[in-house]
Amino acid sequence: MSGGPGVFKKRRGLGGGATLPRPAPPAVGPVLHDGACDTLGFLVPPGTADGWDMPGSACTQTSGRGLRIPAEPPVSGSGWLLPPDDGDPVTDPAVLREALGEAARLIEAADNRC
């Protein structure tokens, strides 16, 4: 059987799908945590706070003077869960909104099972 578009030969020990490249997950910028890891802080672009409406979360307005992320966490008693690097400097608010919504649905489903 020859492979054509959308058809993959099954390799011994591996299904055809196991060899397909997977799309990269959405990029996430630096993430802060408080000392007890009860709260996470995602860095988002300026202006995000104006339209933020996710229940159970808050988006803090900043001065909007530009983005400069220090190597050391900017809040006393916090730490970097995901430290800044040369990649994405902030998290896309649409991606964050989607992830928080999915997490809320999973928590609700788990709570309703008990």
Side-chain angles (χ1 to χ4, degrees):
M1 174 174 161
S2 66
V7 178
F8 302 92
K9 290 183 180 179
K10 187 171 181 178
R11 293 185 181 191
R12 188 174 189 100
L14 288 176
T19 60
L20 295 175
R22 296 174 192 244
V28 174
V31 179
L32 284 166
H33 67 83
D34 65 357
C37 292
D38 291 331
T39 303
L40 298 179
F42 295 83
L43 278 66
V44 293
T48 301
D50 296 336
W52 194 255
D53 59 354
M54 286 297 299
S57 69
C59 188
T60 305
Q61 186 80 29
T62 62
S63 65
R65 295 184 182 174
L67 182 66
R68 194 182 96 244
I69 302 172
E72 292 298 315
V75 179
S76 178
S78 69
W80 290 115
L81 180 63
L82 186 59
D85 63 12
D86 294 334
D88 292 306
V90 295
T91 298
D92 180 333
V95 171
L96 182 56
R97 186 176 279 112
E98 176 72 24
L100 291 174
E102 184 176 339
R105 289 186 295 276
L106 289 172
I107 290 169
E108 183 179 0
D111 287 348
N112 290 335
R113 286 187 60 132
C114 299

